[in-house]
Amino acid sequence: MSQTILTKPAAGGRRVTLKTIAEMTGLSLSTVSLSLRGGTTLKQETRDKVNEAAKALGYVPDRAGVRLRTGKTNVIALVLDGAEDSIDFARNMIQGIGQAIQGTRYHLTVIPEFERHLNTSTIDNILTNRTADGVIITHTGPRDPRVQMMIDADFPFVSHGRTEFYTPHAYHDFHSEEFAAMAVQRLAEKGCKSVLLVIGDDRTTNYHNIVTSFRRAAARAGIEARVLEGTVKMTPAEMRRKGIELAGEEGRPEGIISDSETRTIALVGGLAEGGVKLGRDMQLIYKQTSGILPTLFPDMDSIREDVFAAGGELTRLLLQRIEGVPVAELQTLAEPQPHWRS
C-alpha cells in the first residue's frame, strides 16, 4: 500500500483555494498560481509570502484539477525496497526526500516493493496510469527490468544504484568500490593477512561492484580474501550461528568487512559467544547507515553512507530530469565517510 505525504487539511473543514491565498496575501490569483507552480520569474520574497500563507491555511492542491489542466500530477513516487536490511535506511531516505521537496509543488508517494527488482507491476502501473511525474527506485540490478521499462517509455526517473545498460540513465549511488578498497586497506594496515567479506543480495549491481573491488584491493595488498556467500537468505539467528562457527574455525579470518548493520549485529553477537574479542583477536569494519551501531560498539571501525543526503540528491536529480536536463549530467556518486575508532 502506498503512503502519500501531504500538507494538513484546512482548519474548520473550509476548502482553501487559490483565491483564499490571494485574499490573505493581497496578491493576484495569477501570481499565487505561478508561485505555487514554482515560478522562478517571481521575486523570492513573493514566493516565500505565498508559501507561508499556503502553509498557514493548510492549502492542499486539487490534484485532479492540476492533472486536467497540465497533464502533471505534482507527485514523485519512491519505489522503496521493502526487504532492506540496513537499519534506518527507509526512514532516512524518506526524510531526505521530504526535506528536498519542501517549498516545491511536489508531494511524495512511497511504494514498498518486496520482490526486489523482479516484479515490474509497480512501475507498469505508474507508467500506464501516469500516477506520478517521476520515480525514484532503490537497489537496482545490473539489468534491472524496471529501469528498462522507464528508459523505453522515456519516463523521468532516477535510481539509487547503477546498472549495466548501454543506454545511460540518471542515478545517484554510494561509491561502493571505494568503500571496499578503503576497508581492505585499513585491515591491511592493522596487520590482517586474511579477510572475509560478508555481503548481501548478489542480484544487485552494488554486490558486484563491492566484490570486484574487494578482491582487487586484497590482491594489491597481498592478503587472502574470501566472500561469505548466501547471507541474504540468512535470518539474524542464522547469522549469529555463522559468527559462532567462524570463531571456532581453524584458520579463521583475521579481518571481516560487513556491508550491513543488521548482519553486523548478529555476526558480532556470534563471534563474542564463540570467544572472539574484536580488536584483539579479529578486526571488523562495517558499513554504517545509522547512529545505532556506534552506540552499541563505540570502538568498532565503520564507513558511513549518508542515506539522508542520498534522498536529497536523488530528489534534486529527479526534479532536473523532469525539467528535461540530459541524463549524462545527472549521474553522481557519494563518497564513503570513514570513521576509524579503534
Side-chain angles (χ1 to χ4, degrees):
M1 180 180 295
S2 65
Q3 172 188 357
T4 302
I5 299 174
L6 296 172
T7 54
K8 296 183 295 184
R14 183 173 66 88
R15 176 169 173 73
V16 177
T17 65
L18 296 181
K19 184 178 179 181
T20 315
I21 300 172
E23 290 172 350
M24 181 177 181
T25 59
L27 298 169
S28 68
L29 275 172
S30 60
T31 298
V32 171
S33 177
L34 179 60
S35 179
L36 291 175
R37 295 199 310 271
T40 57
T41 57
L42 297 174
K43 293 181 180 179
Q44 186 62 46
E45 179 183 356
T46 301
R47 292 161 64 189
D48 291 343
K49 186 176 183 179
V50 171
N51 285 336
E52 288 170 10
K55 185 176 181 181
L57 290 166
Y59 172 72
V60 178
D62 180 354
R63 291 196 190 165
V66 169
R67 187 169 181 177
L68 284 172
R69 291 192 305 272
T70 67
K72 299 291 186 181
T73 64
N74 289 349
V75 171
I76 60 175
L78 169 63
V79 180
L80 183 66
D81 186 85
E84 173 53 37
D85 49 16
S86 292
I87 296 173
D88 262 0
F89 179 92
R91 182 179 67 86
N92 283 317
M93 176 66 69
I94 292 169
Q95 287 187 344
I97 296 171
Q99 184 181 80
I101 61 175
Q102 284 185 1
T104 74
R105 64 180 181 270
Y106 289 99
H107 303 283
L108 174 64
T109 295
V110 181
I111 309 171
E113 187 73 271
F114 295 99
E115 296 180 63
R116 181 173 287 180
H117 57 72
L118 295 178
N119 189 344
T120 59
S121 61
T122 297
I123 298 300
D124 182 57
N125 181 67
I126 293 171
L127 295 177
T128 301
N129 299 299
R130 282 301 192 264
T131 54
D133 295 338
V135 169
I136 297 171
I137 59 172
T138 66
H139 300 83
T140 50
R143 303 290 297 180
D144 198 307
R146 303 171 303 169
V147 170
Q148 185 67 68
M149 287 180 71
M150 290 186 285
I151 289 175
D152 291 344
D154 194 24
F155 187 79
F157 77 96
V158 59
S159 63
H160 185 233
R162 286 163 281 175
T163 65
E164 294 178 356
F165 288 109
Y166 178 77
T167 303
H169 62 82
Y171 67 76
H172 175 67
D173 198 9
F174 180 62
H175 197 170
S176 50
E177 300 93 327
E178 185 61 21
F179 158 77
M182 191 181 289
V184 169
Q185 181 179 352
R186 173 69 169 172
L187 292 176
E189 289 170 354
K190 286 189 168 190
C192 295
K193 300 300 181 184
S194 59
V195 292
L196 174 69
L197 175 64
V198 180
I199 187 170
D201 195 346
D202 62 4
R203 293 172 296 176
T204 64
T205 309
N206 182 68
Y207 173 94
H208 297 287
N209 289 342
I210 289 180
V211 169
T212 300
S213 179
F214 166 72
R215 287 176 171 150
R216 287 175 178 171
R220 286 195 300 269
I223 58 181
E224 179 187 343
R226 65 187 177 101
V227 178
L228 183 62
E229 304 285 356
T231 62
V232 71
K233 297 180 181 178
M234 289 185 185
T235 64
E238 290 170 335
M239 180 57 68
R240 183 183 179 88
R241 287 197 293 272
K242 177 58 68 173
I244 297 172
E245 180 184 317
L246 285 170
E249 187 178 278
E250 185 177 352
R252 67 189 179 199
E254 297 177 3
I256 293 177
I257 300 169
S258 173
D259 79 325
S260 158
E261 289 183 321
T262 303
R263 278 189 283 276
T264 298
I265 291 173
L267 187 65
V268 168
L271 290 169
E273 186 174 336
V276 169
K277 181 172 177 56
L278 291 172
R280 184 192 67 191
D281 305 322
M282 186 183 293
Q283 307 296 329
L284 190 148
I285 299 175
Y286 67 94
K287 180 182 174 184
Q288 178 187 341
T289 54
S290 76
I292 295 175
L293 264 69
T295 303
L296 296 174
F297 311 117
D299 298 327
M300 193 183 301
D301 286 345
S302 70
I303 300 176
R304 180 170 178 254
E305 176 183 8
D306 190 337
V307 180
F308 179 88
E313 176 67 1
L314 287 162
T315 305
R316 184 186 72 83
L317 296 174
L318 179 58
L319 296 186
Q320 289 192 32
R321 183 68 191 120
I322 291 172
E323 295 300 320
V325 175
V327 294
E329 300 175 24
L330 305 175
Q331 298 175 334
T332 60
L333 291 176
E335 293 304 320
Q337 303 170 11
H339 293 274
W340 305 146
R341 299 181 177 92
S342 55

